[in-house]
Amino acid sequence: MQLWVTLGLAGVLAAIAGFLVYFIHSVLNYDDARKIDSLPPDEKEN
């Protein structure tokens, strides 16, 4: 009985952790994070 409770709890925690990792991974845009945007032109020099 205690083994099944432990396995069930571990399964629920693994499902929650998997959902969080999937959600965070889908929100982050790794291609955009690698690209460095150029600075905007300084309007004072014009």
Side-chain angles (χ1 to χ4, degrees), residues 16-43:
I16 293 171
F19 174 75
L20 287 175
V21 168
Y22 174 76
F23 180 73
I24 291 171
H25 180 70
S26 64
V27 169
L28 293 176
N29 187 356
Y30 292 108
D31 294 333
D32 191 40
R34 291 186 192 132
K35 180 175 62 174
I36 299 174
D37 296 331
S38 61
L39 292 172
D42 193 8
E43 296 178 2

